[in-house]
Every structure is written in structure tokens, then in C-alpha cells.
Amino acid sequence: MRKLLFEANPSGMYVRNVSPLLRTLKTDARTAFALACLDRPDGVQVVPLETFVSAWKGFAPQGCWPFSERVVALHLNGTRVLRAEQVYFP
């Protein structure tokens, strides 16, 4: 099955969510929100929640990559979000 998925998507990335379960996750002042920003040496800019949500809606800050697929990687500790980061799609 894995080979068939690769042949259908030769870029090597396959993302899907088939869970109908709605989850409530919590953020707090320690949660880091990261955007892919190509003008940064490490390619990442940590921003406030409001800026992250605005970028997800299509209003990325100057120098940051737009959310083309609106995919976000979440790093969790139980239901607390430690880090939310934009998945970079060139």
C-alpha cells in the first residue's frame, strides 16, 4: 500500500485526517507559533497567535511564505499545544 501512495504522490508527502473526533486543544502564553519565513537565517519566525491566525487566513507578514495548503504541525503535551508551526509547501 505504501508504494501505491508514493506513486500517486511522488513529492513524498501525504497528509490526511480521517478522524471525525472533534478535539479541544489549549494554548497559553508559552505556546510558540512559527511561520515559514524565507528571509530569516533559520527560515522560521515565531509570532503571536493573532499573527499566526492572520497568516493562516491569507495575510502572511512580509517575507513569510503564504499558507498554500493551510497545514499546521502541532506539538502537544496532552491537550496543551506546545508549538504550532506552518508546514512549508514550496
Side-chain angles (χ1 to χ4, degrees):
M1 180 71 167
R2 175 177 266 168
K3 185 176 180 184
L4 293 175
L5 289 175
F6 178 77
E7 289 172 354
N9 186 11
S11 70
M13 181 171 276
Y14 179 75
V15 178
R16 73 178 185 165
N17 182 5
V18 295
S19 175
L21 180 64
L22 180 63
R23 294 166 183 85
T24 301
L25 302 173
K26 301 171 186 160
T27 62
D28 61 26
R30 298 170 292 170
T31 302
F33 298 93
L35 294 175
C37 298
L38 304 179
D39 62 349
R40 297 283 181 156
D42 60 357
V44 175
Q45 179 180 355
V46 176
V47 297
L49 172 62
E50 295 79 15
T51 304
F52 189 83
V53 171
S54 179
W56 188 83
K57 290 179 177 179
F59 305 102
Q62 183 70 32
C64 293
W65 197 260
F67 268 94
S68 60
E69 300 294 329
R70 293 189 183 177
V71 177
V72 175
L74 298 175
H75 302 264
L76 305 173
N77 181 3
T79 60
R80 186 173 102 64
V81 180
L82 302 173
R83 182 177 178 91
E85 57 189 340
Q86 173 186 9
V87 175
Y88 172 70
F89 287 99

